[in-house]
Amino acid sequence: MPEGDTVFRAAARLRTALAGKTLTCCDVRVPRYATIDLSGERVDEVVCRGKHLFVRAGRASFHTHLKMEGVWHVYAPGERWRRPGFTARLILGTEDVTAVGFSLGKVEVLARDRDFDVVAHLGPDLLGPDWDRAEALRRLTADPDLPIGLAVLDQRNLAGIGNIFRNEGCWLARVHPRRPVGEIANLGELVDETQRILSDSARVRVHKPMVYGRAKMPCPRCRTTIRLEMFGEGPTRERSIYFCPRCQE
Ligand SMILES: [Zn+2]
């Protein structure tokens, strides 16, 4: 599942492709919005918040979420699409580019002046210009009994983290994902490290996991074999955790 860094990079690509340009094509392939056509409107901004992406044009805002398999591509005129056409959910074209959102988990057309209402519940955005570390720590510790591996995935606490970065952040801070938040002395360090790697992955180069997806391989720090377990609030909500049983307590 794409995380905040992927959405941040997609927003940057779309901003370069569309911002300041007039839409010549607008195709929303969602029944509810199928008649909406913003051709002739100028794209003013492309912004993201957590894992949510907004393309603002005229008085409307296209709100999208990649969810499990969504991806944005930008094509030159006449260029062949690299995904099947039937998976396209939103197509926004200008004279010189076409941006196509494939398999998007969510597509909505909102009133531009109220578009951020749909992200009002989110916690501080790890990649946002208004990143608020103190508020993030306050939210994370609101339930001290909650395991950190669940607390950091809740977008109401921190916006932008998914399964890769929760595992990586815990490993960097040497904290076991099952440890209750209230018992973690270096929670600030865990948040800082997670913010640092997510930000690097968004702005510099795509993060190469140290524990995520590396079950049975050696821990990069102590060479102990990395363990994989399933963990979640209930049997239907379990997701994988990767950790070093030696250096994460
Ligand atoms: Zn280790």
Side-chain angles (χ1 to χ4, degrees), residues 171 219-224 244 246-248:
W171 181 81
C219 167
R221 195 159 42 212
C222 75
R223 314 310 290 171
T224 303
C244 170
R246 178 150 178 252
C247 63
Q248 284 175 263

PDB file of all heavy atoms in Angstrom, residues 171 219-224 244 246-248, ligand 1:
ATOM      1  N   TRP A 171      12.167  -0.086  14.216  1.00  0.00           N
ATOM      2  CA  TRP A 171      13.516  -0.671  14.200  1.00  0.00           C
ATOM      3  C   TRP A 171      14.576   0.398  14.503  1.00  0.00           C
ATOM      4  O   TRP A 171      15.478   0.182  15.310  1.00  0.00           O
ATOM      5  CB  TRP A 171      13.801  -1.322  12.840  1.00  0.00           C
ATOM      6  CG  TRP A 171      15.162  -1.959  12.794  1.00  0.00           C
ATOM      7  CD1 TRP A 171      15.507  -3.182  13.284  1.00  0.00           C
ATOM      8  CD2 TRP A 171      16.355  -1.375  12.254  1.00  0.00           C
ATOM      9  NE1 TRP A 171      16.851  -3.402  13.080  1.00  0.00           N
ATOM     10  CE2 TRP A 171      17.397  -2.308  12.454  1.00  0.00           C
ATOM     11  CE3 TRP A 171      16.637  -0.167  11.635  1.00  0.00           C
ATOM     12  CZ2 TRP A 171      18.708  -2.055  12.050  1.00  0.00           C
ATOM     13  CZ3 TRP A 171      17.940   0.094  11.228  1.00  0.00           C
ATOM     14  CH2 TRP A 171      18.969  -0.846  11.440  1.00  0.00           C
ATOM     15  N   CYS A 219      19.567  -8.830  10.730  1.00  0.00           N
ATOM     16  CA  CYS A 219      19.358  -7.439  11.152  1.00  0.00           C
ATOM     17  C   CYS A 219      20.593  -6.626  10.744  1.00  0.00           C
ATOM     18  O   CYS A 219      21.718  -7.031  11.026  1.00  0.00           O
ATOM     19  CB  CYS A 219      19.177  -7.406  12.672  1.00  0.00           C
ATOM     20  SG  CYS A 219      19.287  -5.754  13.398  1.00  0.00           S
ATOM     21  N   PRO A 220      20.411  -5.493  10.072  1.00  0.00           N
ATOM     22  CA  PRO A 220      21.568  -4.698   9.628  1.00  0.00           C
ATOM     23  C   PRO A 220      22.413  -4.167  10.790  1.00  0.00           C
ATOM     24  O   PRO A 220      23.549  -3.796  10.602  1.00  0.00           O
ATOM     25  CB  PRO A 220      20.926  -3.521   8.876  1.00  0.00           C
ATOM     26  CG  PRO A 220      19.540  -3.947   8.567  1.00  0.00           C
ATOM     27  CD  PRO A 220      19.141  -4.925   9.645  1.00  0.00           C
ATOM     28  N   ARG A 221      21.857  -4.198  11.994  1.00  0.00           N
ATOM     29  CA  ARG A 221      22.578  -3.643  13.144  1.00  0.00           C
ATOM     30  C   ARG A 221      23.317  -4.739  13.911  1.00  0.00           C
ATOM     31  O   ARG A 221      24.476  -4.560  14.257  1.00  0.00           O
ATOM     32  CB  ARG A 221      21.578  -2.941  14.068  1.00  0.00           C
ATOM     33  CG  ARG A 221      22.174  -2.019  15.090  1.00  0.00           C
ATOM     34  CD  ARG A 221      21.145  -0.999  15.595  1.00  0.00           C
ATOM     35  NE  ARG A 221      19.846  -1.610  15.826  1.00  0.00           N
ATOM     36  CZ  ARG A 221      18.682  -0.961  15.661  1.00  0.00           C
ATOM     37  NH1 ARG A 221      18.657   0.302  15.288  1.00  0.00           N
ATOM     38  NH2 ARG A 221      17.546  -1.589  15.885  1.00  0.00           N
ATOM     39  N   CYS A 222      22.636  -5.873  14.182  1.00  0.00           N
ATOM     40  CA  CYS A 222      23.259  -6.872  15.063  1.00  0.00           C
ATOM     41  C   CYS A 222      23.341  -8.264  14.430  1.00  0.00           C
ATOM     42  O   CYS A 222      23.814  -9.202  15.070  1.00  0.00           O
ATOM     43  CB  CYS A 222      22.505  -6.933  16.385  1.00  0.00           C
ATOM     44  SG  CYS A 222      20.911  -7.786  16.276  1.00  0.00           S
ATOM     45  N   ARG A 223      22.876  -8.417  13.204  1.00  0.00           N
ATOM     46  CA  ARG A 223      22.952  -9.668  12.441  1.00  0.00           C
ATOM     47  C   ARG A 223      22.018 -10.770  12.947  1.00  0.00           C
ATOM     48  O   ARG A 223      22.046 -11.897  12.440  1.00  0.00           O
ATOM     49  CB  ARG A 223      24.393 -10.237  12.361  1.00  0.00           C
ATOM     50  CG  ARG A 223      25.490  -9.245  12.016  1.00  0.00           C
ATOM     51  CD  ARG A 223      25.221  -8.389  10.817  1.00  0.00           C
ATOM     52  NE  ARG A 223      25.264  -9.100   9.530  1.00  0.00           N
ATOM     53  CZ  ARG A 223      24.893  -8.553   8.371  1.00  0.00           C
ATOM     54  NH1 ARG A 223      24.434  -7.320   8.346  1.00  0.00           N
ATOM     55  NH2 ARG A 223      24.965  -9.237   7.264  1.00  0.00           N
ATOM     56  N   THR A 224      21.211 -10.510  13.962  1.00  0.00           N
ATOM     57  CA  THR A 224      20.202 -11.489  14.397  1.00  0.00           C
ATOM     58  C   THR A 224      19.158 -11.628  13.285  1.00  0.00           C
ATOM     59  O   THR A 224      18.887 -10.679  12.562  1.00  0.00           O
ATOM     60  CB  THR A 224      19.530 -11.007  15.702  1.00  0.00           C
ATOM     61  OG1 THR A 224      20.550 -10.819  16.679  1.00  0.00           O
ATOM     62  CG2 THR A 224      18.515 -12.013  16.225  1.00  0.00           C
ATOM     63  N   CYS A 244      13.595  -7.073  14.799  1.00  0.00           N
ATOM     64  CA  CYS A 244      14.746  -7.826  15.285  1.00  0.00           C
ATOM     65  C   CYS A 244      14.474  -8.203  16.722  1.00  0.00           C
ATOM     66  O   CYS A 244      14.310  -7.333  17.574  1.00  0.00           O
ATOM     67  CB  CYS A 244      16.007  -6.970  15.181  1.00  0.00           C
ATOM     68  SG  CYS A 244      17.403  -7.744  16.027  1.00  0.00           S
ATOM     69  N   ARG A 246      16.368  -9.215  18.912  1.00  0.00           N
ATOM     70  CA  ARG A 246      17.453  -8.897  19.839  1.00  0.00           C
ATOM     71  C   ARG A 246      17.533  -7.403  20.160  1.00  0.00           C
ATOM     72  O   ARG A 246      17.582  -7.004  21.293  1.00  0.00           O
ATOM     73  CB  ARG A 246      18.784  -9.366  19.244  1.00  0.00           C
ATOM     74  CG  ARG A 246      19.965  -9.030  20.113  1.00  0.00           C
ATOM     75  CD  ARG A 246      21.080 -10.043  19.972  1.00  0.00           C
ATOM     76  NE  ARG A 246      22.225  -9.656  20.782  1.00  0.00           N
ATOM     77  CZ  ARG A 246      23.350  -9.194  20.246  1.00  0.00           C
ATOM     78  NH1 ARG A 246      23.499  -9.098  18.957  1.00  0.00           N
ATOM     79  NH2 ARG A 246      24.347  -8.850  21.041  1.00  0.00           N
ATOM     80  N   CYS A 247      17.523  -6.571  19.127  1.00  0.00           N
ATOM     81  CA  CYS A 247      17.743  -5.146  19.427  1.00  0.00           C
ATOM     82  C   CYS A 247      16.473  -4.302  19.493  1.00  0.00           C
ATOM     83  O   CYS A 247      16.554  -3.108  19.702  1.00  0.00           O
ATOM     84  CB  CYS A 247      18.817  -4.540  18.514  1.00  0.00           C
ATOM     85  SG  CYS A 247      18.485  -4.506  16.786  1.00  0.00           S
ATOM     86  N   GLN A 248      15.322  -4.918  19.389  1.00  0.00           N
ATOM     87  CA  GLN A 248      14.077  -4.167  19.590  1.00  0.00           C
ATOM     88  C   GLN A 248      13.364  -4.734  20.825  1.00  0.00           C
ATOM     89  O   GLN A 248      13.037  -5.921  20.857  1.00  0.00           O
ATOM     90  CB  GLN A 248      13.167  -4.277  18.374  1.00  0.00           C
ATOM     91  CG  GLN A 248      13.617  -3.412  17.215  1.00  0.00           C
ATOM     92  CD  GLN A 248      12.786  -3.616  15.971  1.00  0.00           C
ATOM     93  OE1 GLN A 248      13.177  -4.371  15.078  1.00  0.00           O
ATOM     94  NE2 GLN A 248      11.643  -2.972  15.901  1.00  0.00           N
TER      95      GLN A 248
HETATM   96 ZN    ZN B   1      19.150  -6.344  15.641  1.00  0.00          ZN
END
